[in-house]
Structures are given as C-alpha cells and as structure tokens.
Amino acid sequence: MHLSLVYFSKPVLHGYFRSSCSWRVRIAFALKGIEYDQVPVNLIKDGGQQKSQQFKTLNPMQQVPAVEIDGMILSQSLAVIQYIDETRPGHPLLPADLKKRAQVRMISDLIASGIQPLQNLYVIQKIGAEKVQWSQHFINRGFQALEPVLKETAGKYCVGDEISMADICLVPQVYNAERFKVDLEEYPTIKRLNQALLDVEAFKVSHPSRQPDTPADLN
C-alpha cells in the first residue's frame, strides 16, 4: 500500500555519474517511471565538490547521493529506494512475499554494507598505490559470499523472476568489479544476472555512460 502524499515537485538527485549509490537511485527512478532533475557533484574536481560547505548542508557525510524529495532530504541510497517504493506506484522494488522481501534486503545489505563501502572513493584515496589490489581483494571476498546466496535465491533476477532492490544494488557493484579487473568467470550466477539486467531499459538509461556529467571520453 502506498502512502497518500502531496508531491511538492520533481525530486532532485545530487550525484556523480560513476557513483554506485547514485546509480542505484537512478535505476529505481527509472523502474518507477519517476521524472527527476540531476545536479552533478564532481567527486574529483577541486578536491571533491562533495566537501563544499554548500553540499555538506545536504549531506553532512559528504557523500552522494543526496535526494531532495517531498520537502525533505534523504542521503542514503537504500533509504531513498525504499521511500519511493512506499510512496510511488509502479514497479514494486520489494516483493510482497515476506520471505522474498527479507532475501532482497539481505542481498542489498550484503552489497551496500559489506562490499561497496570498501571501494568508496574516500577509502581508496586513503589506500593510495595499493587501491587496485585492495579493491580486488574485498570485491572477491564479497562475491565469494554473494555467489552461493544468489544460487539459492535467483530466478531470472536476484530473487525470483521480478527485478527488485537487490538487482538495483548488484549491477553497480559488478560495474565496480569490472573497473578493478575482477575475474567474473569465477562467479557465474553474478555474471548471468548482471548480463540479463543490463538488457533492461531502466538499467541502460541510468548507466554511468549516459549521464549529464559523464566525461566525453566515456560516451
């Protein structure tokens, strides 16, 4: 059941083209058919625009995304995804079945809490020259846990045959794995699901290669 809300205006997504967390929100908006505006926050330029005083008022953690929606600001991607699922009609991002819903949340948290933060830009900048080896190690460690989980839960997509928040989390994480040259042949279920999802229009339009702030050499 969706809450009855007065929608103030189109949501505004403050994000970065290659940010996993920003991409998750873009996918969710696309799946729901929600129009939104984008304000790019360049995480590299000028030492990182996320560190500006102006952006800190939106997200004190100095991370993207920050989403202005319904008269408030939300700054964690899974909170944004679950909020729009609870307040907007359209494609459900969490299954009605409570067991499947728990599985979706488990997979989403495994990725969003257990894998992705260890390749966060702030972290790998601190690691320095060893950032590739560091990222490969922790992505492989996470995928070694995720692969058997997905073997049990997957149908066409991560949990059964409907796209969910788990799929929204998976694709950006696989993109990161490919950036850091992780061998996906070791993870056939992850690879299969990712390939299927990349054929879905919502994942195509939200891809880092197709954003307003995408560098020209990545188009």
Side-chain angles (χ1 to χ4, degrees):
M1 181 179 296
H2 298 283
L3 299 176
S4 178
L5 292 175
V6 176
Y7 302 152
F8 292 84
S9 58
K10 283 196 296 185
V12 178
L13 168 62
H14 300 258
Y16 183 58
F17 79 102
R18 201 163 57 192
S19 156
S20 296
C21 301
S22 300
W23 189 3
R24 293 173 196 156
V25 175
R26 296 195 303 262
I27 297 167
F29 280 152
L31 286 168
K32 285 283 190 180
I34 298 171
E35 293 186 2
Y36 64 101
D37 292 325
Q38 290 201 59
V39 178
V41 180
N42 193 308
L43 302 185
I44 307 296
K45 187 178 179 181
D46 302 325
Q49 294 175 346
Q50 74 279 15
K51 299 175 185 176
S52 71
Q53 192 59 46
Q54 180 180 6
F55 187 75
K56 283 169 68 176
T57 63
L58 295 174
N59 187 350
M61 278 293 287
Q62 302 173 55
Q63 297 173 337
V64 290
V67 178
E68 299 178 70
I69 185 168
D70 299 343
M72 65 177 174
I73 299 168
L74 294 175
S75 62
Q76 294 295 321
S77 61
L78 297 194
V80 176
I81 291 165
Q82 291 181 76
Y83 177 75
I84 66 172
D85 197 40
E86 292 166 348
T87 59
R88 267 70 173 175
H91 183 105
L93 306 178
L94 288 164
D97 180 88
L98 294 181
K99 289 183 179 180
K100 288 184 177 180
R101 183 174 288 228
Q103 290 173 328
V104 165
R105 286 179 165 146
M106 173 184 66
I107 293 163
S108 300
D109 283 340
L110 194 160
I111 296 168
S113 298
I115 305 176
Q116 185 273 328
L118 292 160
Q119 307 102 59
N120 182 282
L121 179 63
Y122 181 83
V123 172
I124 62 173
Q125 285 177 335
K126 292 292 185 182
I127 297 301
E130 301 298 316
K131 66 181 182 182
V132 173
Q133 296 93 322
W134 167 279
S135 299
Q136 288 176 343
H137 171 79
F138 283 106
I139 293 172
N140 276 309
R141 181 176 181 269
F143 279 10
Q144 286 163 11
L146 182 60
E147 176 72 15
V149 170
L150 291 174
K151 281 184 179 179
E152 293 296 320
T153 63
K156 186 176 180 181
Y157 302 117
C158 284
V159 178
D161 296 327
E162 299 296 330
I163 294 173
S164 70
M165 184 169 68
D167 302 287
I168 291 172
C169 291
L170 179 69
V171 169
Q173 183 56 61
V174 175
Y175 179 84
N176 275 350
E178 291 174 334
R179 282 183 61 215
F180 290 111
K181 311 300 182 185
V182 171
D183 183 7
L184 294 179
E185 296 302 321
E186 298 182 30
Y187 312 108
T189 309
I190 291 173
K191 182 178 179 181
R192 172 180 69 81
L193 294 169
N194 182 67
Q195 289 174 336
L197 289 159
L198 287 175
D199 285 334
V200 176
E201 185 64 19
F203 290 80
K204 292 179 181 179
V205 300
S206 60
H207 194 275
S209 65
R210 296 179 62 177
Q211 302 314 304
D213 58 328
T214 303
D217 59 357
L218 290 184
N219 283 310

